[in-house]
Amino acid sequence: MSTQEELEELVEQRKLLDEKIEQCRNEARGKAIEQALSLITTFRLTPEDLFSSMKKGKAKSKAPPKYRDPETGKTWTGKGPTPSWLKDKNRDDYLIKAQ
């Protein structure tokens, strides 16, 4: 048997194995889903119970406003793009005084 023939035979075997693996995976997946649903029902599990450890990082807290437009009452934290009502103005005039 030549190297080319051996390669073609191995590729065909791989194709058949890949198909068999996919078939077994699909059968096992169905059983796994049934088992998971049974456990969820039995223990009354919520999405938070199941996926809370998957959250990435901490929730960001919103920064308190630092500036206020006296005309409209709109505020700005001082982070991000400067709002149009504060552009080209002295920011000190719009600072929210700490109480």
Side-chain angles (χ1 to χ4, degrees):
M1 181 183 286
S2 73
T3 305
Q4 179 65 29
E5 291 171 336
E6 185 177 7
L7 176 62
E8 289 173 3
E9 183 179 328
L10 289 171
V11 169
E12 182 61 29
Q13 288 176 6
R14 181 179 183 181
K15 180 182 171 189
L16 294 173
L17 280 173
D18 285 342
E19 290 171 2
K20 182 69 174 171
I21 290 169
E22 190 61 29
Q23 180 183 3
C24 289
R25 182 176 283 136
N26 288 336
E27 290 172 12
R29 185 177 186 270
K31 292 175 186 175
I33 291 171
E34 286 177 26
Q35 185 179 9
L37 290 173
S38 174
L39 291 170
I40 289 168
T41 303
T42 300
F43 294 101
R44 297 182 183 143
L45 300 174
T46 65
E48 290 78 23
D49 294 330
L50 300 172
F51 304 109
S52 63
S53 64
M54 295 176 68
K55 291 181 181 176
K56 296 180 179 174
K58 295 181 180 179
K60 293 183 179 179
S61 60
K62 192 172 181 181
K66 191 173 179 180
Y67 303 94
R68 175 174 284 116
D69 180 0
E71 292 179 20
T72 65
K74 291 183 180 180
T75 60
W76 181 52
T77 63
K79 298 181 180 181
T82 305
S84 59
W85 55 266
L86 193 53
K87 284 187 180 176
D88 301 324
K89 296 181 180 166
N90 183 351
R91 291 185 184 181
D92 293 340
D93 296 337
Y94 295 85
L95 271 172
I96 297 174
K97 308 277 190 263
Q99 295 180 359

